[in-house]
Amino acid sequence: MPKKAASSSKAASRKKFLATTRERLLEMKNKLLGEIQTELRAEREGNKDEGMDTYDLASEERDREINFILSDRERLKIQQIDDALERLEESSYGVCESCGLEIAEERLLAMPFTRLCHDCQQEQEKEARSQRRFDDERNTYRKLGSTDVDDDNA
Ligand SMILES: [Zn+2]
């Protein structure tokens, strides 16, 4: 009995945490869009025919315009936020894509867009490192090999 109570309160706190995360992500996105709007407006003000305010534009048109002036970095950031929000909707947010365990809240606070738990991330980095080392060795052998061929041809 007490065990069950503990786990359900844990689930409740996780739910609360995810709700807070959602707020945080939405705030992040609003702030980012706000900055972009300000940039857009500043650009407009320098423009001669400023008959129309940015906010008078149909939102679809405005979106297109915003999209046009976005830098790759801003676009990537918005995309990351949207992805995370989508995963929150699908309740797949905060769950490690590799092992299926819940990602620690401290980790999600530090890296709200991460899709892997700490262990799996470490594992992946280790694999990537050894893969790189393997490739390096192979390239070295290939280079040595081709030098030999060149020597034969010469
Ligand atoms: Zn994992």
Side-chain angles (χ1 to χ4, degrees):
M1 262 321 190
K3 207 176 168 190
K4 198 183 169 193
S7 85
S8 80
S9 91
K10 189 177 167 253
S13 99
R14 182 72 172 186
K15 213 171 153 186
K16 211 155 127 192
F17 172 77
L18 292 178
T20 316
T21 304
R22 189 169 178 276
E23 294 289 310
R24 218 157 60 95
L25 289 168
L26 285 172
E27 225 169 84
M28 243 189 247
K29 190 180 169 181
N30 279 337
K31 197 166 162 255
L32 200 61
L33 288 176
E35 282 166 15
I36 292 161
Q37 283 276 19
T38 310
E39 267 175 51
L40 193 65
R41 265 231 275 217
E43 213 161 282
R44 282 268 158 142
E45 267 155 36
N47 222 325
K48 226 180 175 183
D49 74 343
E50 47 163 324
M52 227 185 334
D53 186 25
T54 315
Y55 294 99
D56 292 333
L57 291 170
S59 80
E60 199 183 315
E61 199 176 328
R62 196 171 67 217
D63 282 355
R64 216 179 310 140
E65 190 161 2
I66 286 175
N67 208 36
F68 182 71
I69 63 154
L70 282 185
S71 69
D72 286 346
R73 211 173 59 94
E74 287 165 332
R75 203 170 309 174
L76 183 71
K77 202 161 174 196
I78 289 181
Q79 201 188 330
Q80 278 183 316
I81 295 171
D82 280 343
D83 273 4
L85 286 170
E86 204 172 302
R87 278 182 285 135
L88 272 165
E89 292 296 317
E90 294 169 345
S91 311
S92 64
Y93 180 85
V95 177
C96 176
E97 281 189 350
S98 177
C99 68
L101 291 176
E102 282 186 356
I103 301 170
E105 291 180 7
E106 311 85 74
R107 181 171 165 79
L108 287 172
L109 279 173
M111 290 178 275
F113 308 124
T114 190
R115 290 159 176 264
L116 291 172
C117 72
H118 180 258
D119 287 353
C120 290
Q121 177 93 45
Q122 296 280 91
E123 199 58 38
Q124 220 174 57
E125 278 168 14
K126 214 162 70 190
E127 259 170 53
R129 265 201 302 275
S130 68
Q131 180 65 38
R132 257 203 305 279
R133 203 156 44 225
F134 179 66
D135 285 348
D136 280 354
E137 274 169 26
R138 233 177 10 185
N139 285 337
T140 310
Y141 287 138
R142 206 177 291 148
K143 238 180 260 168
L144 287 175
S146 73
T147 311
D148 285 348
V149 172
D150 285 348
D151 283 349
D152 284 349
N153 286 345

